[in-house]
Amino acid sequence: MREIKCRAFDNTLQHWVIGYLVGDYIIDLSDFETTYEDIDINSVGQYIDSEDINGKEIYEGDVTEYKIYSTYGAMVGKGRSIVRYERGCFTTIDKQDAQWGGVSDIE
């Protein structure tokens, strides 16, 4: 069974916090007593139960980079996508996709 945890930006501490989302605040995973109440609710992303190649946890809203290969196995380019939850599953949406939205400033 996967752990359902979230990450959000805390406006008071000025850094990302991880824990359980309860309403509009986050309860810290390490002690279950500390609460972060001044979070940017628009920054909340759920852990997708997966890590990148460096072992870093991936959350909804993260920007991922991928390599594009030809049918012959040669790398021909790179792309970027954003992790989203749509239609009942986590997926990535490519920058060229119309659904990319307001994350056009990553270049």
Side-chain angles (χ1 to χ4, degrees):
M1 185 170 169
R2 76 182 188 93
E3 184 174 32
I4 299 177
K5 59 184 175 180
C6 294
R7 177 186 68 186
F9 190 79
D10 186 293
N11 294 316
T12 303
L13 300 174
Q14 290 294 299
H15 67 79
W16 292 93
V17 294
I18 295 173
Y20 296 113
L21 182 66
V22 179
D24 58 354
Y25 64 93
I26 286 191
I27 298 175
D28 193 303
L29 289 174
S30 62
D31 63 13
F32 297 103
E33 293 179 14
T34 305
T35 59
Y36 303 103
E37 297 180 7
D38 189 23
I39 62 168
D40 179 357
I41 200 68
N42 295 317
S43 72
V44 174
Q46 185 178 348
Y47 175 55
I48 70 166
D49 199 30
S50 187
E51 291 81 28
D52 66 11
I53 60 173
N54 299 314
K56 185 176 177 183
E57 295 177 339
I58 300 174
Y59 288 83
E60 180 183 9
D62 282 353
V63 176
T64 60
E65 185 174 276
Y66 58 90
K67 296 176 183 176
I68 303 168
Y69 292 91
S70 72
T71 54
Y72 302 106
M75 191 177 91
V76 295
K78 291 183 179 180
R80 288 187 177 180
S81 61
I82 189 165
V83 178
R84 289 280 186 232
Y85 185 80
E86 291 194 5
R87 298 185 184 127
C89 65
F90 288 104
T91 186
T92 56
I93 299 173
D94 197 88
K95 185 176 179 182
Q96 286 76 27
D97 193 304
Q99 297 179 33
W100 181 265
V103 191
S104 59
D105 59 338
I106 62 166
E107 294 188 78

